[in-house]
Amino acid sequence: MSPLFGLMNVKGVVPMLRPTKILVPTDFSEYSDRALNQALDIAKQYNAKVYLFHAIHLIIHRCAIDYSISDDMVEEIKRQALDSASNSLKRQLEKFPKSKEVEVHADIGTGITYDAILEEAKDKGVDLIVIASLGQSGIAKYLIGGVARNVLKGAQCPVLLTR
C-alpha cells in the first residue's frame, strides 16, 4: 500500500498526491537516512526527482566580530564546512543503491536551518518534503524536533515526517 493516500474532506476524496519533486533535508543522522530511504521509495514509485539538501548553520560572523578572526580565516572555515558537507552528502547517497534508480540532486545551503530548507523548497518548486521528525540531537523519543516543527509550520507543500 502506498504511504500517500487520498484524504476525506467535506466534498469527498482529495486526489492522491503524486509528487514530482521531493526535498529531503539531511543532517546525516540515522533519522535522515530513514527519511531519504522513504523519499527514494516514493520517488521510484512516482518517477519523481529527489533533492537531498543540507543546511549549514554558519555563525562564523558573530565569532569573527567577538574574536577578531580575519576575513581569510572566516572564508577558510566556510570552505571547509562546505567541503565536509559535500563529502557527507556523497557518502550518504552511497549507502542507498536505489539512489541510482531515480534522479537525485544534492545541494548545500547556509543560514538558519529551517529557513534554508523552506527557501530551498520554494526555489526548487518541490511538492513534497520528507523530513526526519528527530535529528542529531534526538531530544526525546516522542518529541518532534525543532527544525522539523518549523518546516512543518512554514511549508507551502505537504510534509511527510519520518522517524
Side-chain angles (χ1 to χ4, degrees):
M1 182 175 183
S2 171
L4 305 173
F5 50 88
L7 301 174
M8 294 298 291
N9 70 7
V10 179
K11 297 180 181 177
V13 176
V14 175
M16 181 184 287
L17 173 65
R18 297 195 185 279
T20 59
K21 297 178 181 179
I22 304 169
L23 179 65
V24 185
T26 182
D27 62 3
F28 312 117
S29 67
E30 67 179 273
Y31 302 107
S32 290
D33 283 350
R34 291 180 196 158
L36 177 57
N37 189 46
Q38 182 73 50
L40 290 169
D41 285 344
I42 295 166
K44 188 173 178 182
Q45 182 176 354
Y46 293 103
N47 196 28
K49 295 177 186 175
V50 173
Y51 295 92
L52 184 61
F53 180 73
H54 178 71
I56 299 173
H57 190 104
L58 291 177
I59 54 172
I60 297 170
H61 295 290
R62 176 77 178 136
C63 291
I65 292 168
D66 289 348
Y67 299 105
S68 300
I69 297 174
S70 72
D71 288 341
D72 290 342
M73 253 181 134
V74 169
E75 288 307 312
E76 178 61 19
I77 293 168
K78 284 182 183 180
R79 187 192 61 71
Q80 287 177 3
L82 290 169
D83 287 349
S84 176
S86 179
N87 290 332
S88 294
L89 284 169
K90 289 176 190 168
R91 282 193 306 273
Q92 187 173 29
L93 283 171
E94 287 170 357
K95 294 180 196 176
F96 299 93
K98 62 182 148 186
S99 68
K100 294 176 182 13
E101 299 173 21
V102 297
E103 188 176 339
V104 179
H105 303 270
D107 201 6
I108 302 165
T110 58
I112 297 171
T113 306
Y114 64 86
D115 283 338
I117 292 167
L118 293 171
E119 188 65 31
E120 184 75 1
K122 182 180 173 186
D123 289 349
K124 297 289 193 262
V126 302
D127 40 28
L128 177 64
I129 299 172
V130 180
I131 188 171
S133 59
L134 293 175
Q136 286 182 339
S137 62
I139 302 164
K141 200 180 245 185
Y142 302 104
L143 296 177
I144 184 172
V147 171
R149 180 178 37 254
N150 286 313
V151 168
L152 189 58
K153 282 182 187 177
Q156 300 298 309
C157 66
V159 176
L160 175 63
L161 293 173
T162 63
R163 56 183 184 139

